[in-house]
């Protein structure tokens, strides 16, 4: 593969590779280190993109090469801080409320009622594992409020992200117009209040969600969270190497309750990775559940929903 | 293990498999008394024998002779009966069975069947759990058995498990097994259980992974009477990939059964033997609905160029054309380019696959391909294929379209900047098309999407037309996005037009370091006559970022008038400014400049400034600078030591003091980057006699250190280093293996 002038569609340099050139050896070292530390994998075609993203970190640390930056990440006494800066730089702050809403509704309209019907005293624990700037966990809280469960039942919603900067933005609870491009207008009116030229969730929604930093490449950082009843881990595996996805999914599988489930993004799949999770149909969405539990979960969901529907019909609700 | 110890039973039948004798052990085990058994066909007593294929085995012995052995790991049992020991965990008795003919003077009179109860052997073992109803238990048992490679033949049972997870573990366990009987067991599974796709699949997978010599054992199965067995044998041979199977597989291409031929074709593709190319080309030319397509794919995998011209005729077949084009792209020579391109004149031609093939040919064969294509055909069909094409198809289309000097192509390419999957490629392509593409790219530089504007800005920088300055300055006026701003600034630098000068000065105070760096680079490229005055003004700016940028720019041009400012900047209150000034002072090559650098390295409180000084000293020629550099190798901060070691390499002076100080760093420094830098510097200075410490460092716990040491060993005689490099290749991690390979290549 040639980089340029070959007429080929091979590897391309970064938009401003003139500033810092990312040679083969440091690219390979950085790629492996980034995969180990963050789970993200940059294939050869993304070399220019990686160079563009990291060039500021090279410059800001007063370094003159990516190789020096690699050593800084691995060996500096402030390596953790450099890693956080890296996570912030590599994060893609692109999300919005009510994204893939059929999954959010499956959680609020099927999983949550089933949970409280079968385990009345146990809190429903929902984890947004790559919460970015907070739109996803807030959407989950709104959905649960819509079905009357948010204040009526014990519910814990936790949003985490590997990037401390993203978590800080999520905690700020301040959202611009792009975040609202999908959510129905009536929900925006009901659950948000103006905040200058931006919007913030009303207090009962804000109160329902807590945030923390957790790196999915480090099982110890999220093993506790993975005991949640529902895990939303959407649009993050597309950036991960297969081995990392497998490791994360196995941790989910080991830690989540038998009737727990995991929602992934539309472009993500675990089926080719041989993990002990299988697809189940929940409401109008698909989620991964523990292998062998699909029929049980689908049957239970149907039975509970049928009961609820019958009750509603009988009582005229 | 005999009748005496109560674990063996025996019955005999006549040639029609009617029971003639039935011993007490069998009566007890099966709970069928002798009186009820004798005179009854064995298939009537046990109807599932036919279903399980075992009746046929007995019949074969009765008719043709020979001895059949039924291994318990595969068949579990012949006659279904509960274990004699009620404490057994197994549902059914495990039986080792021998079926032998009873010879008579006139031939075979019947059979004798000996059944040994081996349940206890299995019961003691985790394999008992392979019968559990619980998938989890079976999975756990299979995993436990697989870990004991000498016992993993027992996993043959699990090849037919209902759960794919258990089958996967079983196949992996059998593949890793050290038991010599495993291959026989797997082959037996293919022979006898080809009706069970799950078992077959698992058995073939296991055989495919057994890298040692299994091909000779599989080859006879290609002669089986059973077409299914021949099919799966071909499949297995392909997975094994042994070149010795090529000829038998070529012979199998003429098999009367299409499935056998199909899998033989695929197997030949996997094996990659060129000897098969002619036969495969013949099959492709036959346009057989089932076989031509895999034959073309196999030819692509084999890579035999001589058959490429024969495939050109297939491009008129709508079914075969895409695969044929892909194959030609992979194996074709320059001779196929013109005929391939000519097909684009036909409205029915699959433009996407042909474009991909032409792009691949160009990648392999060079520029000549483009010229042939551009003179053979027009871009019309390619342009019409752009709409609705997926990213992969678009990539080929973009590459080939770029070979046509046409305004319509410029417009189409510019429009493709809106497609995220090819945006970067299109920007690069348009940049290479030069000034002719400027108007359409400038239009895209006004697009609403920032990413499209960014791609356009990049392309405009590549084109370098002064007419684009205005649109790039407009981007800078509107953009709040640091990445877009950086790209536009870099483009302005590439154009080098003085009109951008004033605006670029504003970015010297930008918060984003990349933007500042880009602005410094662009201003350096423009080299405006007012730059010197502008820099001096900025040395006294209130913003440390501006003062820092001024120091970097002054260092780039080494304006004499700026030296006093630079010396002051090296004492600035802000470390960012001092760092830039100290590093850039090296450009002035004046006594007071070097003196200031040495002072900074010796005494600046900020380690990043000392490190910048250590970097600057790499180009100093004065002896006091060398002494300062050696002192920096003992600095308390690892990055000062690291850059000092790197600077020693730039100075290229291998005097005794330098070598001694570097050696100290290599052997004693606690920081891995310093040790790596010392190793690489000593290496680049040509310092010999480091074999012993390098041999030790090659096993260092830190990957960076061990890899640097392995690479440095390339410069030592093979008889000293061979063992170390071989050890790294065989037992090291992936990085050590790579470093050892590099060392061997260098050597």
């Amino acid at each position: 593969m040639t980089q340029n002038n070959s007429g080929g569609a091979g590897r391309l340099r970064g938009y401003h590779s003139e500033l810092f050139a990312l040679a083969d050896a440091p690219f390979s070292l950085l790629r492996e280190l980034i995969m180990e530390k963050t789970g993200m994998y940059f294939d050869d075609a993304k070399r220019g993109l990686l160079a563009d993203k990291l060039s500021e970190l090279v410059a800001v640390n007063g370094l003159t090469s990516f190789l020096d930056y690699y050593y800084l990440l691995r060996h500096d006494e402030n390596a953790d801080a450099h890693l956080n800066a890296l996570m912030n730089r590599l994060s893609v702050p692109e999300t919005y409320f009510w994204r893939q809403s059929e999954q959010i509704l499956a959680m609020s309209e099927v999983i949550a009622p089933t949970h409280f019907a079968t385990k009345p005293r146990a809190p429903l624990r929902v984890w947004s594992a790559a919460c970015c700037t907070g739109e996803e966990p807030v959407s989950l809280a709104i959905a649960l409020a819509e079905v009357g469960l948010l204040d009526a039942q014990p519910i814990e919603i936790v949003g985490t992200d590997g990037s401390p900067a993203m978590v800080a933005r999520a905690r700020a609870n301040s959202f611009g117009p792009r975040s609202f491009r999908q959510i129905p207008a009536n929900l925006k009116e009901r659950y948000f209040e103006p905040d200058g030229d931006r919007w913030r969730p009303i207090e009962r929604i804000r109160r329902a969600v807590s945030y923390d930093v957790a790196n999915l490449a480090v099982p110890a950082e999220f093993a506790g969270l993975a005991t949640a009843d529902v895990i939303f881990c959407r649009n993050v595996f597309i950036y991960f190497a297969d081995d990392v996805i497998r490791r994360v999914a196995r941790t989910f599988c080991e830690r989540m309750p038998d009737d727990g489930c995991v929602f992934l993004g539309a472009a993500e799949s675990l089926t080719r990775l041989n993990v002990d999770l299988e697809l189940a149909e929940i409401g109008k969405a698909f989620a991964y559940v523990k292998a062998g539990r699909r029929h049980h979960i689908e049957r239970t969901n149907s039975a509970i929903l049928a009961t609820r529907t019958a009750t509603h019909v009988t009582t005229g609700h | 293990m005999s009748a005496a110890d109560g674990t063996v039973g025996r019955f005999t039948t006549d040639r029609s498999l009617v029971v003639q004798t039935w011993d007490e052990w069998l009566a007890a085990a099966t709970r069928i008394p002798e009186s009820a058994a004798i005179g009854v066909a064995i298939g009537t007593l046990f109807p599932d024998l036919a279903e399980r294929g075992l009746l046929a085995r007995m019949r074969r012995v009765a008719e043709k002779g020979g001895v059949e052995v039924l291994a318990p790991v595969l068949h579990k049992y012949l006659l279904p009966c509960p274990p004699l020991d009620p404490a057994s965990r197994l549902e059914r008795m495990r039986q080792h069975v021998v079926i032998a003919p009873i010879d008579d003077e006139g031939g075979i009179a019947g059979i004798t069947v000996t059944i040994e109860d081996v349940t206890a052997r299995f019961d003691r073992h985790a394999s008992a759990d392979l019968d559990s109803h619980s998938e989890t238990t079976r999975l756990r048992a299979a995993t436990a058995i697989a870990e004991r490679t000498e016992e993993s033949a027992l996993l043959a049972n699990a090849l037919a498990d209902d759960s794919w997870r258990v089958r996967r573990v079983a196949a992996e366990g059998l593949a890793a097994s050290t038991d010599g009987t495993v291959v026989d067991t797997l082959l037996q599974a293919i022979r006898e259980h080809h009706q069970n796709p799950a078992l077959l699949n698992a058995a073939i997978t296991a055989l495919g992974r057994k890298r040692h010599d299994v091909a000779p054992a599989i080859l006879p199965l290609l002669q089986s009477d059973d077409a299914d067995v021949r099919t799966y044998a071909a499949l297995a041979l392909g997975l094994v990939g042994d070149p010795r199977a090529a000829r038998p597989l070529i012979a199998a291409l003429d098999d009367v059964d299409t499935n056998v031929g199909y899998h033989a074709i695929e197997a030949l593709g996997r094996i990659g033997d060129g000897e098969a190319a002619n036969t495969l080309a013949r099959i492709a030319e036959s346009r057989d609905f089932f076989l031509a397509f895999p034959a073309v794919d196999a030819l692509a995998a084999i890579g035999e160029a001589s058959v490429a011209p024969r495939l050109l005729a297939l491009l008129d077949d709508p079914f075969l054309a895409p695969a044929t084009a892909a194959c030609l792209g992979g194996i074709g020579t320059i001779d196929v380019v013109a005929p391939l391109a000519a097909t684009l004149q036909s409205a029915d031609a699959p433009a996407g696959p042909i474009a991909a093939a032409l792009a691949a040919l160009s990648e392999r064969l060079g520029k000549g391909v483009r010229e042939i294509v551009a003179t053979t055909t027009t871009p019309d069909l390619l342009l019409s294929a752009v709409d609705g094409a997926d990213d992969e198809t678009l990539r080929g289309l973009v590459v080939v379209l770029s070979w046509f000097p046409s305004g319509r192509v410029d417009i189409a390419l510019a429009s493709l900047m809106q497609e995220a999957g090819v945006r970067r490629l299109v920007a690069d392509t348009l940049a290479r098309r030069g000034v002719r593409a400027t108007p359409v790219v400038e239009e895209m530089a006004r697009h609403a999407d920032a990413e499209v504007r960014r791609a356009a800005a990049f392309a405009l920088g590549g084109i370098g037309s002064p007419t684009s300055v205005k649109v790039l300055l407009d981007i800078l006026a509107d953009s709040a996005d640091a990445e877009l701003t950086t790209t536009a600034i870099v483009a302005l630098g590439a154009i080098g037009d003085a009109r951008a000068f004033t605006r670029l000065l504003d970015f010297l105070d930008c918060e984003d370091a990349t933007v500042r760096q880009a602005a410094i680079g662009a201003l350096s490229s423009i080299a405006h006559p007012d730059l010197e005055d502008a820099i001096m003004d900025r040395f006294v700016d209130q913003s440390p970022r501006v003062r820092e940028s001024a120091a970097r720019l002054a260092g780039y041009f080494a304006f004499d008038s700026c030296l006093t400012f630079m010396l002051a900047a090296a004492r600035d209150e802000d470390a960012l400014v001092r760092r830039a000034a100290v590093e850039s002072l090296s450009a002035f090559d004046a006594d007071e400049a070097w003196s200031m650098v040495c002072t900074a390295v010796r005494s600046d409180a900020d380690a990043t400034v000392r490190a910048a000084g250590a970097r600057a000293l790499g180009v100093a020629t004065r002896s006091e600078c060398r002494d300062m550099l050696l002192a920096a190798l003992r600095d308390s901060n690892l990055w000062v030591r690291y850059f000092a070691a790197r600077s020693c390499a730039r100075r290229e002076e291998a005097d005794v003091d330098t070598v001694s100080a570097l050696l100290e760093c290599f052997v004693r420094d606690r920081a891995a980057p310093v040790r790596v830098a010392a190793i690489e510097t000593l290496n680049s200075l040509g310092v010999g006699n480091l074999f012993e410490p390098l041999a030790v460092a090659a096993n260092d716990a830190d990957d960076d250190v061990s890899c640097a040491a392995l690479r440095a060993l390339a410069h030592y005689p093979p008889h000293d280093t061979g063992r170390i490099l071989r050890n790294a290749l065989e037992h090291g991690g992936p990085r050590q293996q790579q470093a050892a390979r590099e060392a061997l290549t260098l050597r």
Side-chain angles (χ1 to χ4, degrees), chain A residues 185-211:
Chain A
N186 62 327
L187 294 182
K188 182 183 176 188
E189 254 174 44
R190 207 175 305 153
Y191 294 104
F192 291 88
E193 56 196 19
D195 178 22
D197 59 350
R198 298 170 70 83
W199 295 78
R200 67 174 176 179
I202 58 172
E203 204 211 333
R204 62 188 274 238
I205 299 295
R206 292 202 307 270
R207 211 168 357 102
V209 184
S210 63
Y211 293 100

Side-chain angles (χ1 to χ4, degrees), chain B residues 73-74 76 130-131 138 141-142 145 153-171 174 198-199 202:
Chain B
V73 291
L74 196 60
K76 299 185 183 176
L130 291 176
D131 281 351
R138 298 200 306 280
I145 298 167
L154 295 166
L155 288 170
N157 261 337
L159 284 177
D161 198 283
D162 288 339
S163 156
W164 64 268
R165 290 179 188 81
V166 177
R167 293 200 301 274
R168 185 186 69 203
V169 170
L174 286 164
L199 187 150

